[in-house]
Coordinates of all heavy atoms in Angstrom, one line a residue:
V192 N 98.9 51.5 44.6 CA 98.8 50.1 44.6 C 99.8 49.5 45.5 O 101.0 49.5 45.3 CB 99.0 49.6 43.1 CG1 98.8 48.1 43.1 CG2 98.0 50.3 42.2
P193 N 99.3 48.9 46.7 CA 100.3 48.3 47.6 C 100.6 46.9 47.3 O 99.8 46.0 47.1 CB 99.5 48.4 49.0 CG 98.1 48.6 48.6 CD 97.9 48.9 47.1
V194 N 101.9 46.6 47.4 CA 102.5 45.3 47.2 C 103.5 45.0 48.3 O 104.3 45.9 48.6 CB 103.2 45.2 45.8 CG1 103.9 43.9 45.6 CG2 102.2 45.4 44.7
I195 N 103.4 43.9 49.0 CA 104.3 43.6 50.0 C 105.7 43.2 49.4 O 105.8 42.3 48.6 CB 103.9 42.4 50.9 CG1 102.5 42.7 51.5 CG2 104.9 42.2 52.1 CD1 102.5 43.8 52.5
A196 N 106.7 43.9 49.8 CA 108.1 43.7 49.3 C 108.7 42.5 50.0 O 108.4 42.2 51.2 CB 109.0 44.9 49.6
H197 N 109.5 41.7 49.3 CA 110.2 40.5 49.9 C 109.4 39.9 51.0 O 109.8 39.9 52.2 CB 111.6 40.9 50.3 CG 111.8 42.2 51.0 ND1 111.5 42.5 52.3 CD2 112.3 43.4 50.5 CE1 111.7 43.7 52.6 NE2 112.2 44.3 51.5
P198 N 108.2 39.3 50.7 CA 107.3 38.9 51.7 C 107.7 37.5 52.4 O 107.0 37.1 53.4 CB 106.0 38.7 50.9 CG 106.4 38.3 49.6 CD 107.7 39.1 49.3
A199 N 108.7 36.9 51.8 CA 109.1 35.6 52.4 C 110.5 35.6 52.8 O 111.3 34.7 52.4 CB 108.8 34.5 51.3
G200 N 110.9 36.6 53.5 CA 112.3 36.8 53.9 C 112.6 35.8 55.1 O 111.7 35.0 55.4
R201 N 113.7 36.0 55.7 CA 114.1 35.1 56.8 C 113.2 35.1 58.0 O 113.1 34.1 58.7 CB 115.6 35.4 57.3 CG 116.6 34.8 56.4 CD 118.0 34.9 57.0 NE 118.3 36.3 57.3 CZ 119.4 36.7 58.0 NH1 120.2 35.7 58.5 NH2 119.7 37.9 58.2
A202 N 112.4 36.2 58.2 CA 111.5 36.3 59.3 C 110.2 35.4 59.0 O 109.4 35.2 59.9 CB 111.0 37.7 59.5
G203 N 110.1 35.0 57.8 CA 108.9 34.1 57.5 C 107.7 34.9 57.1 O 107.7 36.2 57.1
L204 N 106.6 34.2 56.9 CA 105.4 34.9 56.5 C 104.7 35.6 57.6 O 104.8 35.3 58.8 CB 104.4 33.8 56.0 CG 104.6 33.1 54.7 CD1 103.5 32.2 54.3 CD2 104.8 34.2 53.6
L205 N 104.0 36.7 57.3 CA 103.2 37.4 58.3 C 102.0 36.4 58.6 O 101.7 35.6 57.8 CB 102.6 38.7 57.7 CG 103.5 39.8 57.5 CD1 102.9 41.0 56.7 CD2 104.0 40.4 58.9
P206 N 101.4 36.6 59.8 CA 100.3 35.7 60.1 C 99.2 35.9 59.1 O 98.9 37.0 58.7 CB 99.9 36.2 61.5 CG 101.0 37.1 62.0 CD 101.8 37.5 60.8
M207 N 98.6 34.7 58.8 CA 97.5 34.8 57.7 C 96.3 35.7 58.1 O 95.9 36.4 57.2 CB 97.0 33.3 57.5 CG 96.4 33.2 56.1 SD 97.3 33.9 54.7 CE 98.5 32.6 54.4
P208 N 95.9 35.8 59.3 CA 94.8 36.7 59.6 C 95.1 38.2 59.3 O 94.3 38.9 58.8 CB 94.5 36.5 61.1 CG 95.1 35.2 61.4 CD 96.2 35.0 60.5
L209 N 96.4 38.5 59.6 CA 96.8 39.9 59.3 C 96.8 40.1 57.7 O 96.4 41.1 57.2 CB 98.2 40.2 59.8 CG 98.8 41.5 59.5 CD1 98.0 42.7 59.9 CD2 100.2 41.7 60.1
M210 N 97.3 39.1 57.0 CA 97.3 39.2 55.6 C 95.9 39.3 55.0 O 95.7 40.1 54.1 CB 98.1 38.0 54.9 CG 99.6 38.1 55.2 SD 100.6 37.5 53.9 CE 100.6 35.8 54.4
E211 N 95.0 38.6 55.6 CA 93.6 38.7 55.2 C 93.1 40.1 55.4 O 92.4 40.6 54.5 CB 92.7 37.7 55.9 CG 93.0 36.2 55.6 CD 92.6 35.8 54.2 OE1 92.0 36.6 53.5 OE2 92.8 34.6 53.9
R212 N 93.4 40.7 56.5 CA 92.9 42.0 56.8 C 93.5 43.0 55.8 O 92.9 43.9 55.3 CB 93.2 42.5 58.2 CG 92.3 41.8 59.3 CD 92.3 42.5 60.6 NE 93.6 42.6 61.2 CZ 94.2 41.6 61.9 NH1 93.5 40.5 62.1 NH2 95.3 41.7 62.5
M213 N 94.8 42.8 55.5 CA 95.5 43.7 54.5 C 94.8 43.5 53.1 O 94.6 44.5 52.4 CB 97.0 43.4 54.5 CG 97.7 43.8 55.8 SD 99.3 43.0 56.0 CE 100.3 44.0 54.8
L214 N 94.5 42.3 52.7 CA 93.9 42.0 51.4 C 92.5 42.7 51.4 O 92.2 43.3 50.4 CB 93.8 40.5 51.1 CG 95.2 39.9 50.8 CD1 95.0 38.3 50.9 CD2 95.7 40.3 49.4
A215 N 91.8 42.6 52.4 CA 90.5 43.2 52.5 C 90.6 44.7 52.4 O 89.7 45.4 51.9 CB 89.7 42.8 53.8
A216 N 91.7 45.3 52.9 CA 91.9 46.7 52.8 C 92.5 47.2 51.5 O 92.6 48.4 51.3 CB 92.8 47.2 53.9
G217 N 92.8 46.3 50.6 CA 93.2 46.6 49.3 C 94.6 46.3 48.9 O 95.2 46.7 47.9
L218 N 95.3 45.4 49.7 CA 96.6 44.9 49.4 C 96.5 44.2 48.0 O 95.6 43.4 47.8 CB 97.1 43.9 50.4 CG 98.4 43.3 50.1 CD1 99.6 44.3 50.0 CD2 98.8 42.2 51.1
A219 N 97.3 44.6 47.0 CA 97.2 44.2 45.7 C 98.0 42.9 45.4 O 97.5 42.1 44.5 CB 97.6 45.3 44.7
G220 N 99.1 42.7 46.1 CA 99.9 41.5 45.7 C 101.2 41.4 46.5 O 101.4 42.1 47.5
F221 N 102.0 40.6 46.0 CA 103.3 40.2 46.7 C 104.5 40.2 45.7 O 104.3 39.8 44.5 CB 103.1 38.8 47.3 CG 102.1 38.8 48.4 CD1 100.8 38.5 48.1 CD2 102.5 39.1 49.7 CE1 99.8 38.4 49.1 CE2 101.5 39.0 50.7 CZ 100.2 38.7 50.4
E222 N 105.6 40.6 46.2 CA 106.8 40.6 45.4 C 107.5 39.2 45.6 O 108.3 39.0 46.5 CB 107.8 41.7 45.9 CG 109.1 41.9 45.1 CD 110.0 42.9 45.8 OE1 110.3 42.8 47.0 OE2 110.3 43.9 45.1
L223 N 107.1 38.3 44.7 CA 107.5 36.9 44.9 C 108.9 36.6 44.4 O 109.6 35.7 44.8 CB 106.5 36.0 44.2 CG 105.1 35.9 44.9 CD1 104.3 34.7 44.3 CD2 105.2 35.8 46.4
E224 N 109.3 37.4 43.3 CA 110.7 37.2 42.8 C 111.6 38.2 43.4 O 111.6 39.4 42.9 CB 110.7 37.3 41.2 CG 109.6 36.5 40.5 CD 110.0 35.0 40.4 OE1 111.2 34.7 40.6 OE2 109.1 34.2 40.1
H225 N 112.3 37.8 44.4 CA 113.2 38.7 45.1 C 114.2 37.9 45.8 O 113.9 36.9 46.4 CB 112.5 39.6 46.1 CG 113.3 40.6 46.8 ND1 114.3 40.3 47.7 CD2 113.3 42.0 46.7 CE1 114.8 41.5 48.1 NE2 114.2 42.5 47.6
R226 N 115.5 38.3 45.7 CA 116.6 37.3 46.2 C 116.5 37.1 47.7 O 117.0 36.1 48.2 CB 117.9 37.9 45.8 CG 118.3 39.1 46.5 CD 119.9 39.3 46.5 NE 120.4 39.6 45.2 CZ 121.7 39.4 44.8 NH1 122.5 38.8 45.7 NH2 122.1 39.7 43.7
E227 N 115.7 37.9 48.5 CA 115.6 37.6 49.9 C 114.5 36.7 50.3 O 114.4 36.3 51.4 CB 115.5 39.0 50.7 CG 116.8 39.7 50.8 CD 116.7 41.1 51.2 OE1 115.8 41.5 52.0 OE2 117.5 41.9 50.7
N228 N 113.6 36.3 49.3 CA 112.6 35.4 49.6 C 113.3 34.0 49.7 O 114.0 33.6 48.8 CB 111.6 35.3 48.5 CG 110.7 36.6 48.5 OD1 110.5 37.2 49.6 ND2 110.1 36.9 47.4
V229 N 112.9 33.2 50.8 CA 113.5 31.9 50.9 C 112.5 30.9 51.4 O 111.5 31.2 52.0 CB 114.7 32.0 52.0 CG1 115.9 32.7 51.5 CG2 114.2 32.6 53.3
G230 N 112.8 29.7 51.0 CA 112.1 28.5 51.6 C 110.7 28.4 51.0 O 110.3 28.9 50.0
S231 N 109.9 27.6 51.8 CA 108.6 27.2 51.2 C 107.5 28.3 51.3 O 106.5 28.2 50.7 CB 108.1 26.0 52.0 OG 107.9 26.4 53.4
A232 N 107.8 29.4 52.0 CA 106.9 30.4 52.1 C 106.5 31.0 50.8 O 105.4 31.5 50.6 CB 107.4 31.5 53.0
V233 N 107.5 31.0 49.8 CA 107.2 31.5 48.5 C 106.1 30.7 47.8 O 105.2 31.2 47.2 CB 108.5 31.5 47.6 CG1 108.2 32.3 46.3 CG2 109.6 32.2 48.3
R234 N 106.2 29.4 48.0 CA 105.2 28.5 47.4 C 103.8 28.7 48.0 O 102.8 28.8 47.3 CB 105.6 27.0 47.5 CG 106.7 26.6 46.6 CD 106.8 25.1 46.5 NE 107.2 24.4 47.7 CZ 108.4 24.3 48.2 NH1 109.4 24.9 47.6 NH2 108.6 23.7 49.3

Side-chain angles (χ1 to χ4, degrees):
V192 182
V194 172
I195 304 291
H197 40 77
R201 277 192 303 173
L204 289 181
L205 285 171
M207 202 47 82
L209 174 58
M210 289 211 276
E211 291 290 0
R212 286 199 298 279
M213 291 162 77
L214 287 167
L218 175 63
F221 294 90
E222 184 183 57
L223 292 191
E224 310 281 345
H225 183 292
R226 66 159 73 201
E227 281 163 35
N228 288 333
V229 289
S231 62
V233 187
R234 285 198 296 281

